[in-house]
Amino acid sequence: MVYPDTFEGFAIVDSAKWSEAEKYEFEPKPFEDYDVDVAIDVCSICGSDAHAARNGWGKTAYPLVVGHEIIGKVVKVGSKVTNFKVGDRVGVGAQSQACLECKLCKSNNEIYCTKLVHTFGSLYHNKDGTTTKSQGGYSNYCRIHEYFVFPIPEVYTDEEAAPFLCAGITTYSPLVRNIPTNLPEGVRPKVGIVGLGGLGMMGIQFAKALGAETYVFSRTDAKKADAIALGAEHFIATENEGWVKEVEFDLDMILCTANSNENFDLNTYLRALKIGGKWVSVGLPESPFTVSPRSFMANACFMGASHLGSHVEMLEMFKLSEEKGIKPWVETLEASFEGVKEGLEKCHYNKCKYRVALSGFQKAFN
Amino acid sequence: MVYPDTFEGFAIVDSAKWSEAEKYEFEPKPFEDYDVDVAIDVCSICGSDAHAARNGWGKTAYPLVVGHEIIGKVVKVGSKVTNFKVGDRVGVGAQSQACLECKLCKSNNEIYCTKLVHTFGSLYHNKDGTTTKSQGGYSNYCRIHEYFVFPIPEVYTDEEAAPFLCAGITTYSPLVRNIPTNLPEGVRPKVGIVGLGGLGMMGIQFAKALGAETYVFSRTDAKKADAIALGAEHFIATENEGWVKEVEFDLDMILCTANSNENFDLNTYLRALKIGGKWVSVGLPESPFTVSPRSFMANACFMGASHLGSHVEMLEMFKLSEEKGIKPWVETLEASFEGVKEGLEKCHYNKCKYRVALSGFQKAFN
């Protein structure tokens, strides 16, 4: 297939105009032996896209093409690529490189490799000594090491498949790593999911699929019906004072998908954990956590975080999802200036149920 | 045996004179069916004693008799006591009551019971509707529910046995609960112990006895020889810049026995943890923890705390200790005004190696 040497995307150029993209041509990293070039069809919108567009972590270097829930078709493979051939439908998530040689990479923890490159906004250190800024999936093509490219089960449309690549793996990995597997026979693990947005929507379904009795925590009752439809067995509105009494000392783990820790009563949430239970945050708030030592001491609980998930977990996640019929709820918008704007804003203001996919990147740029 | 209805102890009466005790008579809680009265011989000095004496947590109600590493002999047993008889040598730790009926108590987590009473400075809610303030072990007698009274192996002197009751169980419980048991055959868990004082001294020995390769972290090299003598295989002085490189992504868990979180670089310590590793604090600092979410996200680590340990763990701890020859390092002082003063000050200023036991409470008061 013929395609250009430089790629093109919808770039954000200024935090003050964080939802108003401009078309932007960029040079991909040099093509290497394990690389795969993908012609992008669909990219769904992750909270991180809006956060980075707004310079929420204070590290955004503009112009930036965001997007890391990518579905497309392989258009070129490097000489050492063995898993893919031209024409395959594939997915790309938020990680695009790791050393693949350190002890972390060799133990299915490549996501914690210190040489990690993120799909957008990071820096590739190329073999020829140059560096290339990584640009994301709101574009016509991407170039990625095959280890970070994934086959997509046929049962999913492109739009349905895309959110698995970040929202999916980000919730699947901490659940599968931390839901206890040593409970007495007949005792189901109890899992709490804080927040029902793009990540919560996936987390609820995975927690159920992994056998857990699932509790959803949200500020109001507004999303109760959706939570139940997604597989939750319990719904707790935290605007009701004393809500924690219902679950005190009860949950094996809580997965927090909230992106902010302002006005967030972490000390109360921790009381919902069983002795030794775990709070795992997958949001990345801008301000530090402040926690009283007494909160931990009351039930010997733990607080931690998780980042994306591994290659192996990605494959397992798709397998489980196909078996259990897990499916993201997705709205589709056109891959256009208007679509990017509407999608980023819907995402940032929590106005979608529960993911927006941008579709038609080939048409937009070719 | 004849003994008085009111007990007598060395009480601290003012935070400004936190090491200068006065003799003080106090009424014990009403004697109930499961209670055991113990004539105290030895009480060793825990960091909490000095901390409470100084009103470090801002909650001390004076006059207060501290002390919760108690060894003595049973002088009276309630009608329903089955485990002890008059004359038995026993130990009493930092917990003296729990409901023993809730789901926590019934799952060997009575230490987290919301009706917990601490051996000193807490309030008993008596069956007759009255309340009694609990007073600790720097005294001639104590009255405790038999569930919180423990038999002492003959191999230990009173002075050697005393530190197990708090320093011992406080470090044993989080180690036995959190050292991973599912490592591949031949792979030993790696455990870090932060701080070598009364708690660290016990923690090092337990970690070794539980099969771990043990690392001790201390500010300077001053305690290196002691750490090795106690069973550590590695010693890291954290005043050396870049110390974390030696253990980055390496430890399954770190047990922190430091009592303060000032000038304490928690974010660096967390980097020493394996993916999913756990930081467990057993000190209770006065100020909150402040942690960057990115610190957790770098290795999916967890931070938590632990409080004492359960009845079952106390029995297991003594069994393991006897088998493996675990023995606290103890200096003995006389149970007297001078001994209390010197002991509390040695403890507070970290001048002892590594525990002070006060001996001779029967002589002091009778």
Side-chain angles (χ1 to χ4, degrees):
Chain A
M1 183 177 167
V2 180
Y3 63 98
D5 288 338
T6 55
F7 299 167
E8 201 174 0
F10 292 105
I12 308 302
V13 299
D14 184 346
S15 64
K17 297 188 289 176
W18 64 272
S19 63
E20 294 168 33
E22 295 181 8
K23 284 200 178 177
Y24 173 67
E25 234 179 276
F26 59 91
E27 192 120 7
K29 68 184 278 297
F31 191 83
E32 290 169 2
D33 293 345
Y34 287 100
D35 281 342
V36 173
D37 276 0
V38 177
I40 297 171
D41 292 311
V42 163
C43 186
S44 49
I45 299 179
C46 175
S48 304
D49 297 355
H51 208 71
R54 294 165 57 88
N55 196 20
W57 293 299
K59 295 168 71 174
T60 301
Y62 301 98
L64 179 67
V65 179
V66 297
H68 55 210
E69 295 183 343
I70 300 168
I71 303 291
K73 281 177 210 74
V74 173
V75 291
K76 182 178 175 185
V77 297
S79 61
K80 292 187 176 161
V81 167
T82 56
N83 294 328
F84 302 101
K85 59 181 193 310
V86 170
D88 286 353
R89 183 170 74 143
V90 297
V92 172
Q95 181 174 15
S96 60
Q97 208 175 67
C99 80
L100 302 181
E101 289 174 355
C102 68
K103 67 180 177 185
L104 301 180
C105 286
K106 290 193 171 170
S107 60
N108 294 324
N109 286 309
E110 74 279 1
I111 191 61
Y112 300 105
C113 172
T114 56
K115 297 192 172 148
L116 160 84
V117 177
H118 283 116
T119 300
F120 67 77
S122 283
L123 217 55
Y124 292 106
H125 293 269
N126 304 313
K127 289 191 177 148
D128 62 11
T130 61
T131 59
T132 308
K133 184 168 142 190
S134 64
Q135 297 286 6
Y138 296 7
S139 52
N140 53 359
Y141 296 95
C142 64
R143 177 168 295 167
I144 307 282
H145 188 292
E146 71 163 335
Y147 199 72
F148 302 100
V149 177
F150 300 93
I152 301 298
E154 282 183 20
V155 294
Y156 296 113
T157 66
D158 290 354
E159 291 79 2
E160 288 166 350
F164 282 101
L165 277 305
C166 179
I169 192 66
T170 295
T171 50
Y172 176 80
S173 174
L175 288 169
V176 83
R177 289 183 187 214
N178 293 297
I179 290 177
T181 54
N182 59 352
L183 297 177
E185 211 182 301
V187 177
R188 291 167 65 204
K190 294 185 179 183
V191 171
I193 307 282
V194 177
L196 175 40
L199 271 65
M201 159 189 74
M202 301 304 293
I204 296 167
Q205 295 186 75
F206 291 134
K208 181 186 177 187
L210 293 166
E213 186 177 342
T214 304
Y215 294 70
V216 171
F217 299 88
S218 191
R219 278 191 211 268
T220 70
D221 265 329
K223 295 178 178 173
K224 180 169 181 175
D226 288 349
I228 303 299
L230 285 160
E233 295 176 44
H234 310 271
F235 185 94
I236 293 178
T238 58
E239 68 178 359
N240 299 327
E241 205 157 327
W243 62 265
V244 77
K245 290 282 171 203
E246 201 181 318
V247 284
E248 202 157 26
F249 295 117
D250 220 16
L251 306 183
D252 293 282
M253 75 172 283
I254 297 177
L255 183 72
C256 177
T257 71
N259 241 322
S260 163
N261 50 21
E262 280 164 41
N263 304 314
F264 194 82
D265 190 1
L266 182 57
N267 291 308
T268 301
Y269 273 113
L270 294 180
R271 289 169 55 195
L273 289 169
K274 267 188 192 161
I275 305 305
K278 290 171 173 175
W279 167 276
V280 186
S281 180
V282 289
L284 186 55
E286 292 154 30
S287 50
F289 295 111
T290 302
V291 195
S292 157
R294 284 184 197 273
S295 292
F296 293 120
M297 217 159 254
N299 55 1
C301 69
F302 290 95
M303 176 171 100
S306 171
H307 184 46
L308 305 174
S310 74
H311 174 97
V312 168
E313 285 166 341
M314 191 80 89
L315 300 177
E316 286 171 0
M317 172 191 69
F318 274 119
K319 186 162 177 283
L320 179 76
S321 298
E322 191 176 354
E323 278 169 19
K324 301 278 189 177
I326 291 172
K327 202 169 266 197
W329 295 7
V330 189
E331 303 171 25
T332 301
L333 293 174
E334 196 186 14
S336 63
F337 295 117
E338 299 73 24
V340 168
K341 182 174 165 63
E342 185 181 343
L344 281 174
E345 290 179 0
K346 274 193 155 185
C347 174
H348 179 67
Y349 298 114
N350 295 316
K351 298 282 187 201
C352 62
K353 280 192 170 184
Y354 283 98
R355 212 58 162 177
V356 170
L358 298 170
S359 180
F361 284 96
Q362 291 307 305
K363 188 179 148 205
F365 291 101
N366 301 341
Chain B
M1 181 176 168
V2 179
Y3 64 98
D5 289 337
T6 57
F7 300 167
E8 202 174 359
F10 292 105
I12 309 301
V13 298
D14 184 346
S15 64
K17 296 188 290 175
W18 63 273
S19 63
E20 294 167 35
E22 296 179 8
K23 284 200 177 177
Y24 174 67
E25 233 177 278
F26 59 91
E27 191 121 6
K29 68 184 278 299
F31 191 82
E32 289 169 2
D33 292 346
Y34 286 100
D35 282 341
V36 172
D37 277 1
V38 177
I40 297 171
D41 292 310
V42 164
C43 185
S44 49
I45 299 180
C46 174
S48 304
D49 295 356
H51 208 72
R54 294 165 57 88
N55 196 20
W57 292 299
K59 295 168 71 175
T60 302
Y62 300 98
L64 178 67
V65 179
V66 296
H68 56 209
E69 296 183 343
I70 300 168
I71 303 291
K73 281 176 210 74
V74 174
V75 291
K76 182 179 174 184
V77 296
S79 61
K80 292 186 176 161
V81 168
T82 57
N83 294 328
F84 302 100
K85 59 180 194 309
V86 170
D88 287 353
R89 183 171 76 142
V90 296
V92 172
Q95 181 174 15
S96 60
Q97 208 176 69
C99 81
L100 302 182
E101 288 173 354
C102 70
K103 67 181 176 185
L104 301 180
C105 286
K106 291 193 170 167
S107 60
N108 293 323
N109 285 309
E110 73 278 3
I111 191 61
Y112 300 105
C113 173
T114 56
K115 296 191 173 150
L116 159 85
V117 178
H118 282 116
T119 301
F120 67 75
S122 283
L123 217 54
Y124 292 106
H125 292 271
N126 304 313
K127 289 191 177 149
D128 62 10
T130 61
T131 59
T132 309
K133 185 169 143 189
S134 64
Q135 298 286 6
Y138 296 6
S139 51
N140 53 0
Y141 296 96
C142 65
R143 176 169 295 166
I144 308 282
H145 188 291
E146 71 164 335
Y147 199 73
F148 303 100
V149 176
F150 301 93
I152 301 298
E154 282 182 20
V155 294
Y156 297 113
T157 65
D158 289 354
E159 290 80 1
E160 288 166 351
F164 281 102
L165 277 304
C166 179
I169 192 66
T170 296
T171 51
Y172 176 80
S173 174
L175 288 169
V176 83
R177 290 183 186 212
N178 292 299
I179 291 178
T181 54
N182 59 351
L183 297 178
E185 211 182 304
V187 177
R188 292 167 66 204
K190 294 184 179 183
V191 171
I193 306 282
V194 177
L196 173 40
L199 271 65
M201 159 189 74
M202 301 304 292
I204 296 167
Q205 296 186 74
F206 291 135
K208 181 187 178 188
L210 292 166
E213 186 176 341
T214 304
Y215 295 70
V216 171
F217 299 89
S218 190
R219 278 190 211 269
T220 70
D221 265 330
K223 295 178 179 174
K224 181 169 181 176
D226 288 349
I228 303 300
L230 285 160
E233 295 176 44
H234 310 271
F235 185 93
I236 293 178
T238 59
E239 69 178 359
N240 299 328
E241 205 156 325
W243 61 266
V244 77
K245 290 283 171 203
E246 200 180 320
V247 284
E248 203 157 25
F249 295 118
D250 221 17
L251 305 183
D252 293 282
M253 76 171 282
I254 298 176
L255 183 73
C256 178
T257 70
N259 241 323
S260 164
N261 50 21
E262 281 163 41
N263 303 317
F264 195 82
D265 189 1
L266 182 56
N267 291 309
T268 300
Y269 273 113
L270 294 179
R271 288 169 54 195
L273 290 169
K274 267 188 192 160
I275 307 304
K278 290 172 172 174
W279 167 276
V280 186
S281 180
V282 290
L284 186 54
E286 290 154 30
S287 50
F289 295 111
T290 302
V291 195
S292 156
R294 283 184 197 274
S295 293
F296 294 121
M297 216 159 255
N299 55 0
C301 69
F302 290 95
M303 175 171 100
S306 171
H307 184 46
L308 305 175
S310 73
H311 173 97
V312 168
E313 286 166 341
M314 190 80 88
L315 299 177
E316 287 171 359
M317 171 191 69
F318 275 119
K319 187 163 175 285
L320 178 77
S321 298
E322 191 176 355
E323 277 169 21
K324 302 278 188 176
I326 292 172
K327 203 169 265 195
W329 294 7
V330 189
E331 305 170 25
T332 301
L333 293 173
E334 197 188 14
S336 63
F337 294 118
E338 299 74 23
V340 168
K341 181 175 166 61
E342 185 181 344
L344 281 173
E345 290 179 0
K346 274 193 155 185
C347 174
H348 180 67
Y349 297 114
N350 295 316
K351 298 280 186 203
C352 63
K353 279 192 170 183
Y354 282 98
R355 212 59 161 176
V356 170
L358 298 170
S359 180
F361 284 96
Q362 291 308 304
K363 186 177 149 210
F365 291 102
N366 301 339

